[in-house]
Amino acid sequence: AVPIVHIAAVNKERTIDDYQRIYNKIAEKIREDDEYDGYIGYGPILVRLGWHSSGTYNKENNSGGSYGGTYRFKLENTDPSNNGLQNAAHFLDPIYKEFNWISHGDLYTLGAVCAVQEAQGPKIKWRPGRVDLPESATPENGRLPDAVNGADYVRNFYARLKMNDREAVALTGAHCLGRTHLKNSGFDGPWGAASSSFTNEFFVNLLNEQWKLEKNAAGNKQYDSPKGYMMLETDYALVQDPIYLKIVKEYANNEASFFKDFASSFQKLLENGIDYPKGAPEYVFKTLDDQDM
Ligand code: HIF
């Protein structure tokens, strides 16, 4: 088969200021619509949309991924793995209306980068150039991960996204954000106390809480702690596998190390499958705080 090639199309008319304006609009709307999901706000679900629109990537034939913005097509946005993400897509609708020159893939990924940074997470380098592809480019359902699995599955899943063990563990730290919802995934509860702040709390809780495997109200197994926190089986796999465990301990003790590795792994996740021409611009956005906004 002919390999799929997705070359970033850089719009020479646009500068970092144009994208920073979109970043600021998203950030201000996160701040304004703060009552969403019991005052967790829209940040976590925007991170999930950015990653799910990228996480369909398959390194075997370079298909899927964020490039084509195919989440906007029904086949992809009705994948049961994407339950609940319409809230993030609707959040972005007015932003897209105002800045309709941006591609969907650029918007979904920029939303995730904005949400991580505004939650006090690391700065994540971001590059424009994704192009809206036609519906025929939509990947089939079933490429997103299933949480009822152990370390072997996690390792294989991340390998399809070209992620090694360190990158897999670093990425999983994003589960400090948000929560699981029975009506979306059949799981219930948050991973920790600070669901709207990006910290290394996920790793600290994984090591320090008293976890018990239980069946939730939907009949699905999850690990629960006395404080009301939860872990998916794929999360808990990170303390069951000795190679993963060593990295979990490192990140629990060294937030800076987690931030550094998360920033590079998350950029890679959002850019999988895209070829950037030499000299393609790479941006680091200012937070609203940085701008005294
Ligand atoms: Fe998640 N993830 N994720 N995830 N995820 C959920 C929610 C969030 C997996 C399963 C789930 C990543 C990897 C994996 C976020 C971010 C990232 C939910 C709950 C499930 C079941 C959805 C719901 O019920 O609303 C699995 C199996 C993964 C791979 C093994 C990434 C690394 C951690 C790549 C990642 O960045 C975020 C943020 C949420 C919270 C969404 C919310 O609405 O609060």
Side-chain angles (χ1 to χ4, degrees):
V2 185
I4 297 165
V5 179
H6 290 147
I7 297 170
V10 178
N11 184 340
K12 295 241 159 58
E13 318 263 281
R14 302 289 169 187
T15 68
I16 186 167
D17 295 346
D18 293 293
Y19 294 100
Q20 180 76 58
R21 261 192 283 283
I22 304 181
Y23 176 106
N24 287 356
K25 276 283 156 135
I26 299 170
E28 283 169 337
K29 193 168 156 63
I30 293 174
R31 195 186 262 173
E32 276 158 29
D33 299 353
D34 64 337
E35 73 294 344
Y36 176 71
D37 201 11
Y39 285 92
I40 290 174
Y42 277 95
I45 199 149
L46 287 170
V47 172
R48 187 160 177 252
L49 175 61
W51 117 249
H52 274 208
S53 68
S54 309
T56 55
Y57 181 67
N58 187 344
K59 71 175 178 192
E60 294 310 326
N61 58 0
N62 212 44
S63 65
S66 67
Y67 182 84
T70 53
Y71 172 84
R72 74 191 190 283
F73 295 117
K74 195 169 167 190
L75 170 63
E76 189 166 330
N77 62 44
T78 59
D79 183 329
S81 293
N82 284 331
N83 281 354
L85 282 183
Q86 4 8 296
N87 293 336
H90 288 149
F91 173 100
L92 291 174
D93 279 343
I95 313 270
Y96 183 72
K97 282 217 176 72
E98 187 175 347
F99 302 94
N100 63 5
W101 50 266
I102 196 174
S103 67
H104 284 84
D106 278 352
L107 183 60
Y108 300 142
T109 55
L110 180 57
V113 165
C114 174
V116 169
Q117 294 192 176
E118 293 300 309
Q120 281 110 48
K123 291 278 167 71
I124 295 161
K125 294 180 189 137
W126 181 87
R127 294 190 277 186
R130 296 166 188 79
V131 173
D132 281 0
L133 290 177
E135 193 163 6
S136 57
T138 312
E140 72 284 357
N141 285 187
R143 290 187 180 202
L144 292 165
D146 173 359
V148 188
N149 279 293
D152 291 350
Y153 173 93
V154 173
R155 192 164 272 124
N156 281 322
F157 173 76
Y158 279 114
R160 203 197 75 209
L161 302 176
K162 297 200 287 206
M163 300 294 173
N164 63 26
D165 287 345
R166 242 185 124 71
E167 292 166 323
V169 176
L171 284 171
T172 312
H175 277 167
C176 61
L177 293 174
R179 56 169 294 148
T180 61
H181 306 80
L182 271 185
K183 66 174 178 350
N184 292 343
S185 60
F187 298 101
D188 193 21
W191 288 272
S195 311
S196 346
S197 301
F198 196 95
T199 67
N200 67 342
E201 190 195 348
F202 172 87
F203 301 109
V204 174
N205 290 347
L206 202 46
L207 294 174
N208 295 347
E209 293 302 306
Q210 300 295 310
W211 297 109
K212 213 173 131 196
L213 188 59
E214 295 180 335
K215 254 191 189 176
N216 65 29
N220 296 316
K221 282 197 226 159
Q222 61 180 60
Y223 287 85
D224 295 318
S225 90
K227 288 187 189 158
Y229 307 155
M230 66 86 64
M231 289 284 161
L232 300 165
E233 287 193 68
T234 46
D235 297 316
Y236 199 76
L238 302 186
V239 292
Q240 294 175 313
D241 178 278
I243 300 168
Y244 283 152
L245 176 60
K246 214 170 154 239
I247 308 166
V248 168
K249 287 180 176 164
E250 177 188 332
Y251 293 153
N253 289 313
N254 186 344
E255 189 174 64
S257 166
F258 163 52
F259 270 32
K260 180 169 170 287
D261 291 349
F262 181 82
S264 57
S265 314
F266 200 64
Q267 179 184 12
K268 177 173 167 180
L269 176 70
L270 301 185
E271 293 185 349
N272 257 334
I274 307 174
D275 286 338
Y276 289 90
K278 257 214 166 69
E282 182 172 65
Y283 300 137
V284 176
F285 297 109
K286 295 189 166 84
T287 62
L288 291 183
D289 266 2
D290 293 338
Q291 303 166 80
D292 290 317
M293 286 174 78

